[in-house]
Amino acid sequence: VSARVLEGRTLAREIESQVAEEARSLREAGILPCLAVVVVGSDPASAVYVAGKGKACKRVGVISRTVALPESASQDELASTIGRLNHDSEVCGILVQLPLPPALDPLSAACEIDPAKDVDGLTPENLGRLLLGLPYTVPCTPAGIVALLDRWSIPVEGANVAIVGRSNIVGKPLAAMLMQKAKGRNATVTVCHSGTREIARFTRAADLVVTAMGSPRYLKADMVREGCVVVDVGMNRLPDPNSEKGYTLVGDADFEQLVGKVGAITPVPGGVGPLTVAMLLRNTIKVARAQRCRP
Ligand code: NAP
C-alpha cells in the first residue's frame, strides 16, 4: 500500500491567485494592502521565511515592509515599534516574526499588536474570538491545515484527532478549529505535549494525527494505525554536507516509514508550509479591506 501524498503547493497557488485578484480590486478602489514584518535579530531560518513572505507579497500585489531591529533590542523597543505600526495608516497588517531572541517574550509582543491589524491571529482578542467560534483573523498554519484537509476531502466530522504539540501558533488554535460545533469540524481532539504519558496510545487511536513539535522524524509507523491520515507541520533542518544549502528539511513524521502504512500524509517540504504563506496573504487582504488603508 502506498499513501496519498497531500501536497499543498497547488492549493497555495490557487489561493494566491484569488488573493491577487482581490488585491487588484482593492487597488482599484484606492486601498493599498501593506504588510509590515517586524524582525528582531538574525535567526537564519527566520531570514528565509521573511524573504519568502516578501516574495509572496510581491507575487500578489501586496506591499511589504520589513522593520528590522537588532538582536539586542529590548521588549520596550519592540513594543514601541509595534505601537508606531499600529498608528501608521499606510500599514494594514503587522506580524512579528518568530522566534524572537531569548530575552524577548513573544506573548507580550503579540499583546501589543492592534487586533484589527493582526494578520497572524495571535492577539488575545483574535485567539479568544476563535475559541468562541467568532473568528476574525485566525493563525495561518492551522488555517492552512484546515484548508488542506478540506481540499483533499479528509473526513474531520466525528474523527478522532491527535495533535502532538500545544503551541499558541499551531497546536492550540488547530484544536480550537477542529473541535468547533460546525459542519465539517466536530472532531474529537486530543492535544499531546511533553507532559503526556504514552503519546503513542493517543496517536494509535487517531484517525488523523497532526505533528507540530519540532522533533525530527518523531512519529514512527508503530505509533499510528493503518490507513490513518498524518499532517506533518514540523520543519527541522538536519545538517547535510551533501546538500547545497548544507541541510535537509525533514518533518516531525518519519515519512519513509509511514508512507507504506497510512492512508494519506503531507510531505515536508511542500505540504503545510506553502499554505501558511497563502493564509497570511489572505489575512492581509482581509484586514486591508476592513481598514480601507490608503497611501
Ligand atoms: P513550539 O512552540 O516549540 O512547540 C512545540 C510543541 O511540541 C510543544 O507543545 C512541546 O511540548 C511539544 N513537543 C516537543 N517535543 C515533544 C516530545 N518529544 N513529546 C511531546 N511533545 C513534544 O513549536 P511550534 O512553533 O508549534 O512549531 C512546531 C514545528 O512546526 C516546528 O518544527 C516548526 O518549525 C514547525 N512549523 C511549521 C510551520 C509551517 O508553516 N509548516 C509553521 C509553524 C511551525 P511542551 O508544550 O510540553 O513543551
Side-chain angles (χ1 to χ4, degrees):
V1 218
S2 197
R4 272 195 300 164
V5 177
L6 311 177
E7 66 86 22
R9 289 199 173 110
T10 309
L11 176 57
R13 270 200 299 271
E14 286 169 22
I15 294 170
E16 278 194 16
S17 55
Q18 284 165 13
V19 169
E21 191 54 50
E22 290 173 48
R24 194 171 315 128
S25 70
L26 286 180
R27 278 198 306 277
E28 279 165 15
I31 299 169
L32 279 190
C34 169
L35 172 67
V37 180
V38 181
V39 191
V40 188
S42 53
D43 179 69
S46 291
V48 173
Y49 295 140
V50 170
K53 287 169 186 175
K55 277 188 212 148
C57 284
K58 208 168 206 166
R59 286 199 296 274
V60 299
V62 165
I63 301 164
S64 73
R65 212 197 267 181
T66 304
V67 182
L69 295 179
E71 183 87 24
S72 59
S74 67
Q75 195 82 42
D76 283 350
E77 282 168 305
L78 176 56
S80 63
T81 301
I82 296 169
R84 268 198 303 280
L85 295 169
N86 284 339
H87 291 106
D88 185 334
S89 60
E90 284 180 22
V91 170
C92 325
I94 303 169
L95 79 80
V96 175
Q97 182 63 39
L98 301 178
L100 290 173
L104 298 180
D105 174 26
L107 275 188
S108 311
C111 292
E112 296 294 334
I113 299 172
D114 178 349
K117 297 191 176 191
D118 170 24
V119 286
D120 265 341
L122 288 178
T123 55
E125 158 97 6
N126 286 320
L127 277 178
R129 295 191 72 98
L130 172 60
L131 203 58
L132 294 171
L134 300 168
Y136 182 53
T137 52
V138 297
C140 302
T141 301
I145 293 170
V146 167
L148 192 73
L149 294 172
D150 288 348
R151 160 54 60 102
W152 286 93
S153 305
I154 303 298
V156 170
E157 192 104 24
N160 290 333
V161 180
I163 300 173
V164 194
R166 59 174 160 191
S167 71
N168 293 324
I169 64 163
V170 190
K172 280 186 205 168
L174 181 63
M177 289 165 89
L178 296 180
M179 73 178 181
Q180 281 303 319
K181 188 164 183 168
K183 191 168 177 296
R185 301 295 169 255
N186 286 316
T188 303
V189 182
T190 306
V191 181
C192 303
H193 44 74
S194 64
T196 304
R197 267 184 281 133
E198 278 190 76
I199 290 179
R201 196 155 61 88
F202 299 99
T203 53
R204 271 191 218 112
D207 306 303
L208 168 63
V209 180
V210 181
T211 48
M213 318 163 67
S215 183
R217 300 187 182 120
Y218 170 88
L219 191 78
K220 303 288 183 194
D222 64 357
M223 297 174 73
V224 299
R225 70 162 184 74
E226 209 167 325
C228 75
V229 175
V230 174
V231 170
D232 188 0
V233 183
M235 299 242 242
N236 308 293
R237 290 174 168 208
L238 294 187
D240 178 0
N242 297 323
S243 125
E244 212 176 283
K245 291 177 175 159
Y247 65 87
T248 309
L249 204 59
V250 302
D252 292 342
D254 192 327
F255 188 91
E256 302 303 321
Q257 272 200 15
L258 290 162
V259 78
K261 184 169 184 186
V262 301
I265 184 167
T266 62
V268 176
V272 174
L275 285 163
T276 297
V277 177
M279 291 298 154
L280 170 66
L281 298 172
R282 188 179 263 182
N283 280 345
T284 304
I285 292 298
K286 183 167 189 157
V287 297
R289 183 182 292 117
Q291 294 170 90
R292 310 188 62 76
C293 295
R294 287 168 196 283

